[in-house]
Amino acid sequence: DPRQRGLRPDGDEETPVSHLPQPDNRGLSWHEIWHSPTFWMMICIFSLAGASVHGAVLHISSVFTDRAISAEGAAMVTSLVGAAVLVGRLGSGFLLDHVFAPRVAILFYGGAALGIAILCAGINGNIAFAAAFLVGLGMGAEVETMGYMISRYFGLRAFGTAYGHAFGAFMISGAAGVTLMGAGYDHFHSYAVPLAGFCVAMILVLILLTRLGPYEFGVEPETTPP
């Protein structure tokens, strides 16, 4: 039928109707996603990472001033973390187009875990500044990896709903992490204990990331083994 090709009968002067590409609705329904163990594993991953990284980043200036670092030095750390977040967003976005997404998350979250561990150990000097930069990189990679992984594991059919729930859990956990960081300092008069807890949480995140299997939708990058 010519209409299937967007054609009209000879002599028809009506303006042809443009045939826009249809959205890709392949994927799981929200009911299927809600009952998927992989989805809840991702909720745990991004909730734990969100709490840990937000708790460390939003208290970073206080962490440094608590160690007798000058206000100027604390301000420099804050600027350094902001630059790291930008690098993390751009870097993770680029890598997601070429590398298996859980590996990208492991790279950035592993760096954040190392940075939190260094801050927990109380190491000062340039190493502490590098640790703050690593935590900022992890914060920059969170949102990109979340959206990409949800689209690849569950498709686009209910992407908006799934991403909304995941992002909501991520933000609530981030706020909880900031609160726990402050409460931990008030109770122990040191940031070491809450930072140690966040370090353990990030290690659990890395373990969970290794449990994610191949993509269900889309093609995996060529660098991913079969």
Side-chain angles (χ1 to χ4, degrees), residues 28-112:
L28 304 181
S29 66
W30 170 238
H31 178 79
E32 293 172 320
I33 295 174
W34 180 261
H35 291 87
S36 169
T38 301
F39 177 72
W40 290 105
M41 189 183 302
M42 288 186 182
I43 292 293
C44 291
I45 289 171
F46 294 116
S47 295
L48 291 172
S52 303
V53 175
H54 278 80
V57 166
L58 296 184
H59 282 269
I60 195 69
S61 61
S62 298
V63 171
F64 276 78
T65 54
D66 189 56
R67 301 175 181 179
I69 303 296
S70 65
E72 292 79 5
M76 183 184 301
V77 171
T78 303
S79 300
L80 183 65
V81 170
V85 171
L86 178 60
V87 174
R89 293 199 187 284
L90 296 175
S92 62
F94 174 80
L95 290 176
L96 285 170
D97 288 334
H98 300 86
V99 181
F100 188 45
R103 291 185 177 182
V104 177
I106 288 173
L107 173 64
F108 283 91
Y109 289 166

Side-chain angles (χ1 to χ4, degrees), residues 73-162:
M76 183 184 301
V77 171
T78 303
S79 300
L80 183 65
V81 170
V85 171
L86 178 60
V87 174
R89 293 199 187 284
L90 296 175
S92 62
F94 174 80
L95 290 176
L96 285 170
D97 288 334
H98 300 86
V99 181
F100 188 45
R103 291 185 177 182
V104 177
I106 288 173
L107 173 64
F108 283 91
Y109 289 166
L114 176 60
I116 293 174
I118 293 173
L119 294 175
C120 178
I123 301 174
N124 291 322
N126 292 332
I127 296 179
F129 282 82
F133 188 84
L134 288 174
V135 178
L137 287 178
M139 187 176 189
E142 289 172 326
V143 177
E144 284 74 13
T145 54
M146 184 192 310
Y148 192 93
M149 289 167 63
I150 288 175
S151 69
R152 288 297 182 266
Y153 282 98
F154 308 114
L156 300 179
R157 182 179 175 186
F159 172 80
T161 303

Side-chain angles (χ1 to χ4, degrees), residues 32 101 131 141 169 205 224:
E32 293 172 320
V205 166
T224 304

